[in-house]
Protein backbone atom coordinates (compact mmCIF):
# COMPACT_ATOMS: atom_id res chain seq x y z
CA UNK A 1 0.00 0.00 0.00
CA UNK A 2 1.34 3.42 -0.93
CA UNK A 3 0.70 4.85 2.54
CA UNK A 4 3.14 2.39 4.06
CA UNK A 5 5.98 3.46 1.78
CA UNK A 6 9.07 4.71 3.58
CA UNK A 7 9.59 8.46 2.96
CA UNK A 8 12.80 7.76 1.07
CA UNK A 9 10.89 5.60 -1.41
CA UNK A 10 7.86 7.86 -1.65
CA UNK A 11 9.63 11.21 -1.94
CA UNK A 12 12.86 10.55 -3.84
CA UNK A 13 13.71 8.72 -7.04
CA UNK A 14 16.63 6.30 -7.35
CA UNK A 15 19.07 8.99 -8.46
CA UNK A 16 18.35 10.98 -5.28
CA UNK A 17 18.80 8.07 -2.87
CA UNK A 18 21.90 8.51 -0.72
CA UNK A 19 23.13 7.90 2.79
CA UNK A 20 23.94 11.28 4.37
CA UNK A 21 27.37 11.53 5.96
CA UNK A 22 27.71 11.99 9.73
CA UNK A 23 27.54 15.62 10.77
CA UNK A 24 31.02 15.81 12.34
CA UNK A 25 34.36 15.01 10.70
CA UNK A 26 36.85 14.73 13.57
CA UNK A 27 40.53 15.15 12.70
CA UNK A 28 43.46 13.70 14.62
CA UNK A 29 47.08 13.19 13.67
CA UNK A 30 48.75 11.95 16.88
CA UNK A 31 48.38 8.29 17.85
CA UNK A 32 47.18 8.95 21.40
CA UNK A 33 44.43 11.25 20.09
CA UNK A 34 43.48 8.70 17.45
CA UNK A 35 42.95 6.11 20.17
CA UNK A 36 40.88 8.51 22.29
CA UNK A 37 38.77 9.43 19.27
CA UNK A 38 38.07 5.78 18.48
CA UNK A 39 37.08 5.21 22.09
CA UNK A 40 34.71 8.18 21.99
CA UNK A 41 33.18 6.98 18.73
CA UNK A 42 32.53 3.61 20.37
CA UNK A 43 30.67 5.41 23.17
CA UNK A 44 28.63 7.85 21.08
CA UNK A 45 28.08 5.67 18.04
CA UNK A 46 28.65 6.57 14.38
CA UNK A 47 27.38 10.13 14.78
CA UNK A 48 30.82 11.42 13.80
CA UNK A 49 33.52 10.34 11.39
CA UNK A 50 37.21 10.20 12.21
CA UNK A 51 39.87 11.33 9.76
CA UNK A 52 43.36 10.07 10.54
CA UNK A 53 45.79 12.69 9.27
CA UNK A 54 48.90 11.80 7.30
CA UNK A 55 49.47 15.31 5.96
CA UNK A 56 49.92 17.49 9.04
CA UNK A 57 50.03 14.56 11.46
CA UNK A 58 53.15 12.87 10.12
CA UNK A 59 56.50 14.12 11.47
CA UNK A 60 58.97 15.16 8.79
CA UNK A 61 61.06 12.12 7.96
CA UNK A 62 58.63 9.79 9.72
CA UNK A 63 56.03 9.53 6.97
CA UNK A 64 56.46 5.79 6.42
CA UNK A 65 56.06 4.87 10.09
CA UNK A 66 53.09 7.20 10.40
CA UNK A 67 51.21 5.76 7.42
CA UNK A 68 51.82 2.22 8.69
CA UNK A 69 50.41 3.20 12.09
CA UNK A 70 47.35 4.76 10.44
CA UNK A 71 46.76 1.59 8.41
CA UNK A 72 46.84 -0.42 11.65
CA UNK A 73 44.23 1.91 13.20
CA UNK A 74 41.99 1.44 10.19
CA UNK A 75 42.22 -2.34 10.55
CA UNK A 76 41.82 -2.27 14.33
CA UNK A 77 38.68 -3.68 15.97
CA UNK A 78 38.34 -0.17 17.41
CA UNK A 79 37.13 0.88 13.94
CA UNK A 80 33.87 -0.82 14.81
CA UNK A 81 31.50 1.25 12.66
CA UNK A 82 33.63 1.53 9.50
CA UNK A 83 33.48 5.34 9.73
CA UNK A 84 37.19 6.14 9.76
CA UNK A 85 38.97 7.75 6.83
CA UNK A 86 42.37 9.29 6.18
CA UNK A 87 43.88 12.47 4.78
CA UNK A 88 46.93 11.89 2.60
CA UNK A 89 49.57 14.32 1.40
CA UNK A 90 48.75 16.51 -1.63
CA UNK A 91 49.21 15.08 -5.11
CA UNK A 92 52.28 17.30 -5.58
CA UNK A 93 53.99 15.95 -2.45
CA UNK A 94 56.56 13.13 -2.82
CA UNK A 95 54.69 11.11 -0.17
CA UNK A 96 51.32 11.08 -1.98
CA UNK A 97 51.84 7.89 -3.98
CA UNK A 98 53.30 6.00 -1.01
CA UNK A 99 50.44 7.18 1.24
CA UNK A 100 47.79 5.97 -1.16
CA UNK A 101 49.49 2.67 -1.89
CA UNK A 102 50.10 1.84 1.78
CA UNK A 103 46.60 2.72 2.97
CA UNK A 104 44.77 1.01 0.12
CA UNK A 105 47.10 -1.96 0.02
CA UNK A 106 46.83 -2.65 3.74
CA UNK A 107 43.43 -1.28 4.72
CA UNK A 108 41.52 -0.39 1.55
CA UNK A 109 38.36 -2.25 2.50
CA UNK A 110 38.32 -0.71 5.99
CA UNK A 111 38.66 2.92 4.92
CA UNK A 112 35.46 5.02 4.83
CA UNK A 113 36.91 7.73 2.59
CA UNK A 114 40.15 9.38 1.51
CA UNK A 115 40.68 13.14 1.81
CA UNK A 116 42.64 15.00 -0.90
CA UNK A 117 44.18 18.26 0.32
CA UNK A 118 45.33 21.30 -1.66
CA UNK A 119 44.37 20.50 -5.26
CA UNK A 120 44.83 23.55 -7.45
CA UNK A 121 42.47 22.52 -10.25
CA UNK A 122 40.00 19.97 -11.55
CA UNK A 123 42.88 18.44 -13.51
CA UNK A 124 44.73 17.71 -10.26
CA UNK A 125 41.63 16.13 -8.75
CA UNK A 126 41.20 14.00 -11.86
CA UNK A 127 44.86 12.91 -11.76
CA UNK A 128 44.66 12.04 -8.06
CA UNK A 129 41.44 10.07 -8.52
CA UNK A 130 42.98 8.20 -11.45
CA UNK A 131 45.96 7.17 -9.30
CA UNK A 132 43.67 6.14 -6.44
CA UNK A 133 41.44 4.07 -8.73
CA UNK A 134 44.47 2.41 -10.33
CA UNK A 135 45.74 1.54 -6.85
CA UNK A 136 42.34 0.08 -5.88
CA UNK A 137 42.41 -2.07 -9.00
CA UNK A 138 46.01 -3.14 -8.41
CA UNK A 139 45.23 -4.30 -4.88
CA UNK A 140 41.95 -5.96 -5.79
CA UNK A 141 39.78 -3.61 -3.71
CA UNK A 142 36.30 -3.83 -5.16
CA UNK A 143 34.57 -0.98 -3.35
CA UNK A 144 34.70 2.49 -4.85
CA UNK A 145 36.54 4.42 -2.15
CA UNK A 146 34.76 7.78 -1.65
CA UNK A 147 36.96 10.81 -2.22
CA UNK A 148 36.68 14.04 -0.20
CA UNK A 149 38.38 17.20 -1.44
CA UNK A 150 39.74 20.15 0.51
CA UNK A 151 39.06 23.44 -1.26
CA UNK A 152 41.81 25.72 0.06
CA UNK A 153 43.52 27.26 -2.98
CA UNK A 154 42.51 29.98 -5.45
CA UNK A 155 42.57 27.46 -8.30
CA UNK A 156 40.32 24.95 -6.58
CA UNK A 157 37.81 27.66 -5.67
CA UNK A 158 37.76 28.88 -9.29
CA UNK A 159 36.87 25.36 -10.45
CA UNK A 160 34.76 24.29 -7.48
CA UNK A 161 31.65 23.64 -9.57
CA UNK A 162 33.54 21.24 -11.85
CA UNK A 163 35.27 19.55 -8.91
CA UNK A 164 31.91 19.02 -7.19
CA UNK A 165 30.58 17.44 -10.39
CA UNK A 166 33.35 14.82 -10.52
CA UNK A 167 31.66 11.42 -10.00
CA UNK A 168 34.26 10.18 -7.52
CA UNK A 169 33.75 13.11 -5.12
CA UNK A 170 31.52 12.60 -2.08
CA UNK A 171 32.25 15.75 -0.07
CA UNK A 172 33.88 19.18 -0.33
CA UNK A 173 35.57 20.76 2.69
CA UNK A 174 36.72 24.33 3.13
CA UNK A 175 40.32 24.78 4.26
CA UNK A 176 40.17 28.12 6.06
CA UNK A 177 43.76 28.58 7.21
CA UNK A 178 45.47 27.68 3.94
CA UNK A 179 42.94 29.78 2.02
CA UNK A 180 43.73 32.82 4.18
CA UNK A 181 47.47 32.19 3.81
CA UNK A 182 47.08 32.12 0.05
CA UNK A 183 46.13 35.80 0.19
CA UNK A 184 49.69 36.75 1.27
CA UNK A 185 48.71 38.71 4.35
CA UNK A 186 45.89 40.68 2.72
CA UNK A 187 43.27 39.01 4.92
CA UNK A 188 43.73 39.96 8.60
CA UNK A 189 44.24 37.44 11.38
CA UNK A 190 40.82 38.33 12.78
CA UNK A 191 39.29 36.52 9.82
CA UNK A 192 40.57 33.22 11.24
CA UNK A 193 38.48 33.62 14.39
CA UNK A 194 35.15 31.96 15.07
CA UNK A 195 33.35 35.24 14.44
CA UNK A 196 35.59 36.85 11.84
CA UNK A 197 35.49 33.95 9.40
CA UNK A 198 31.80 34.66 8.80
CA UNK A 199 32.12 38.43 8.38
CA UNK A 200 35.10 38.78 6.05
CA UNK A 201 33.68 39.09 2.50
CA UNK A 202 36.31 36.94 0.75
CA UNK A 203 35.93 34.09 3.21
CA UNK A 204 32.14 34.28 3.26
CA UNK A 205 32.18 34.21 -0.55
CA UNK A 206 34.38 31.11 -0.57
CA UNK A 207 32.17 29.31 1.94
CA UNK A 208 29.03 30.09 -0.05
CA UNK A 209 30.54 29.02 -3.37
CA UNK A 210 31.68 25.70 -1.90
CA UNK A 211 28.34 25.04 -0.26
CA UNK A 212 26.37 25.95 -3.38
CA UNK A 213 28.59 23.80 -5.62
CA UNK A 214 28.28 20.81 -3.30
CA UNK A 215 24.50 21.03 -3.01
CA UNK A 216 24.17 21.53 -6.76
CA UNK A 217 25.80 18.14 -7.31
CA UNK A 218 24.19 16.36 -4.31
CA UNK A 219 27.53 16.25 -2.49
CA UNK A 220 28.17 17.05 1.18
CA UNK A 221 29.63 20.47 2.07
CA UNK A 222 31.86 20.27 5.14
CA UNK A 223 32.60 23.43 7.14
CA UNK A 224 36.07 24.39 8.35
CA UNK A 225 37.49 24.27 11.86
CA UNK A 226 37.05 26.65 14.76
CA UNK A 227 40.42 26.82 16.50
CA UNK A 228 39.14 28.33 19.77
CA UNK A 229 38.38 24.81 20.97
CA UNK A 230 37.89 25.80 24.64
CA UNK A 231 35.36 28.52 23.82
CA UNK A 232 32.23 26.40 23.50
CA UNK A 233 29.87 29.35 23.08
CA UNK A 234 31.90 30.69 20.14
CA UNK A 235 32.02 27.21 18.62
CA UNK A 236 28.28 26.70 19.02
CA UNK A 237 27.56 30.08 17.45
CA UNK A 238 29.87 29.34 14.51
CA UNK A 239 28.45 25.86 13.97
CA UNK A 240 24.91 27.25 14.08
CA UNK A 241 25.75 29.87 11.45
CA UNK A 242 27.51 27.28 9.29
CA UNK A 243 24.41 25.08 9.33
CA UNK A 244 21.60 27.63 9.20
CA UNK A 245 23.05 30.51 7.19
CA UNK A 246 25.70 28.87 4.98
CA UNK A 247 23.90 25.53 4.40
CA UNK A 248 26.73 23.25 5.53
CA UNK A 249 25.64 19.78 6.59
CA UNK A 250 28.95 18.66 8.08
CA UNK A 251 31.74 20.34 10.07
CA UNK A 252 35.29 19.62 11.13
CA UNK A 253 36.29 19.03 14.73
CA UNK A 254 39.89 19.20 15.96
CA UNK A 255 39.30 18.47 19.65
CA UNK A 256 37.07 15.80 21.23
CA UNK A 257 35.32 18.50 23.25
CA UNK A 258 34.06 20.08 20.02
CA UNK A 259 32.15 17.03 18.79
CA UNK A 260 29.04 17.24 20.98
CA UNK A 261 28.86 21.02 20.62
CA UNK A 262 28.76 20.70 16.83
CA UNK A 263 26.20 17.89 17.00
CA UNK A 264 23.96 20.04 19.18
CA UNK A 265 24.30 23.07 16.89
CA UNK A 266 23.46 21.08 13.77
CA UNK A 267 20.49 19.31 15.35
CA UNK A 268 16.99 20.68 14.77
CA UNK A 269 15.19 22.28 17.67
CA UNK A 270 12.52 20.40 19.60
CA UNK A 271 9.82 22.54 17.99
CA UNK A 272 11.20 21.90 14.49
CA UNK A 273 11.40 18.18 15.16
CA UNK A 274 7.88 17.96 16.55
CA UNK A 275 6.50 19.77 13.51
CA UNK A 276 8.43 17.54 11.11
CA UNK A 277 7.15 14.36 12.77
CA UNK A 278 3.54 15.55 12.66
CA UNK A 279 3.73 16.58 9.01
CA UNK A 280 5.48 13.41 7.82
CA UNK A 281 3.04 11.18 9.68
CA UNK A 282 0.04 13.13 8.37
CA UNK A 283 1.38 13.03 4.82
CA UNK A 284 2.05 9.31 5.01
CA UNK A 285 -1.49 8.71 6.26
CA UNK A 286 -2.76 10.52 3.13
CA UNK A 287 -0.53 8.46 0.82
CA UNK A 288 1.72 11.51 0.29
CA UNK A 289 -1.04 13.61 -1.25
CA UNK A 290 -1.20 17.33 -0.33
CA UNK A 291 -2.39 18.11 3.20
CA UNK A 292 -3.37 21.11 5.27
CA UNK A 293 -1.41 21.47 8.51
CA UNK A 294 -2.15 24.37 10.87
CA UNK A 295 -3.63 26.50 8.08
CA UNK A 296 -0.68 25.84 5.77
CA UNK A 297 -0.72 23.66 2.66
CA UNK A 298 2.03 21.07 2.23
CA UNK A 299 2.93 18.73 -0.61
CA UNK A 300 5.87 16.58 -1.68
CA UNK A 301 8.23 19.53 -1.95
CA UNK A 302 7.79 20.43 1.70
CA UNK A 303 7.60 16.76 2.70
CA UNK A 304 11.17 16.34 1.41
CA UNK A 305 12.31 19.23 3.58
CA UNK A 306 10.70 17.83 6.72
CA UNK A 307 12.00 14.32 6.02
CA UNK A 308 15.53 15.67 5.64
CA UNK A 309 15.09 17.47 8.96
CA UNK A 310 14.16 14.15 10.57
CA UNK A 311 17.23 12.56 9.00
CA UNK A 312 19.41 15.33 10.42
CA UNK A 313 17.97 14.73 13.88
CA UNK A 314 18.84 11.06 13.54
CA UNK A 315 22.37 11.77 12.29
CA UNK A 316 23.10 14.11 15.19
CA UNK A 317 22.09 11.50 17.76
CA UNK A 318 18.93 13.41 18.68
CA UNK A 319 16.52 11.52 20.93
CA UNK A 320 13.64 10.43 18.71
CA UNK A 321 10.41 8.79 19.88
CA UNK A 322 10.73 5.02 19.73
CA UNK A 323 7.90 4.68 17.21
CA UNK A 324 9.71 7.10 14.87
CA UNK A 325 12.99 5.21 15.19
CA UNK A 326 11.27 1.91 14.51
CA UNK A 327 9.22 3.24 11.60
CA UNK A 328 11.95 5.11 9.77
CA UNK A 329 15.42 4.27 11.07
CA UNK A 330 15.27 0.66 12.22
CA UNK A 331 17.64 -0.45 9.44
CA UNK A 332 20.38 2.04 10.45
Amino acid sequence: MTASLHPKLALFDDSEQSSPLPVVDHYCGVEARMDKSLELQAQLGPVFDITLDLEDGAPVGGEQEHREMVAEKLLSPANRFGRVGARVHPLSHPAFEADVDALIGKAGEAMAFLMLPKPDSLAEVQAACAQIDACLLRHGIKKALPIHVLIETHGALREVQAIAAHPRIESLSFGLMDFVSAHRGAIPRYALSAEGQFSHPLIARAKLEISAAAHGQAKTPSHCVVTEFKNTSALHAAATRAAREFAYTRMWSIHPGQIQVILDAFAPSVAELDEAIEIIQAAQAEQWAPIQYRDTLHDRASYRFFWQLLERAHRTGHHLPIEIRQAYFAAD
Side-chain angles (χ1 to χ4, degrees), residues 249-304:
T249 57
R250 183 168 162 99
M251 183 169 175
W252 284 29
S253 159
I254 55 171
H255 186 276
Q258 294 184 318
I259 294 172
Q260 190 60 57
V261 179
I262 296 171
L263 289 172
D264 292 342
F266 273 69
S269 69
V270 173
E272 289 174 323
L273 183 57
D274 288 345
E275 181 184 48
I277 290 172
E278 290 178 12
I279 289 175
I280 289 297
Q281 289 182 322
Q284 192 170 34
E286 293 297 323
Q287 301 185 23
W288 306 105
I291 64 169
Q292 179 178 322
Y293 174 82
R294 296 182 182 176
D295 300 324
T296 302
L297 293 175
H298 291 282
D299 58 16
R300 289 181 180 234
S302 56
Y303 300 158
R304 293 186 184 99

Side-chain angles (χ1 to χ4, degrees), residues 12-30:
F12 303 93
D13 61 34
D14 290 341
S15 66
E16 297 172 311
Q17 296 287 349
S18 63
S19 297
L21 291 171
V23 165
V24 178
D25 185 9
H26 180 62
Y27 266 70
C28 43
V30 178

Side-chain angles (χ1 to χ4, degrees), residues 197-271:
Q197 62 176 268
F198 290 95
S199 60
H200 193 283
L202 283 175
I203 296 176
R205 163 184 163 262
K207 289 186 181 187
L208 290 170
E209 289 195 19
I210 292 166
S211 176
H215 285 298
Q217 298 295 330
K219 309 297 172 69
T220 298
S222 186
H223 193 265
C224 60
V225 300
V226 169
T227 56
E228 301 98 312
F229 62 87
K230 291 187 178 181
N231 189 339
T232 56
S233 61
L235 172 62
H236 190 276
T240 300
R241 294 195 69 181
R244 295 184 177 264
E245 296 179 29
F246 287 72
Y248 281 81
T249 57
R250 183 168 162 99
M251 183 169 175
W252 284 29
S253 159
I254 55 171
H255 186 276
Q258 294 184 318
I259 294 172
Q260 190 60 57
V261 179
I262 296 171
L263 289 172
D264 292 342
F266 273 69
S269 69
V270 173

Side-chain angles (χ1 to χ4, degrees), residues 90-165:
L91 176 67
S92 59
H93 194 281
F96 172 80
E97 187 174 350
D99 284 351
V100 170
D101 189 69
L103 292 182
I104 291 177
K106 295 180 180 179
E109 295 286 359
M111 204 167 10
F113 54 87
L114 193 149
M115 171 65 77
L116 292 175
K118 298 182 179 63
D120 198 45
S121 63
L122 171 63
E124 284 195 20
V125 172
Q126 292 171 326
C129 288
Q131 288 196 37
I132 291 165
D133 287 343
C135 190
L136 289 166
L137 182 64
R138 187 166 64 251
H139 289 286
I141 306 299
K142 299 193 185 295
K143 80 171 187 178
L145 180 65
I147 306 300
H148 297 187
V149 175
L150 251 173
I151 306 298
E152 49 192 337
T153 67
H154 295 299
L157 185 62
R158 275 195 303 272
E159 300 186 30
V160 68
Q161 292 283 348
I163 292 171

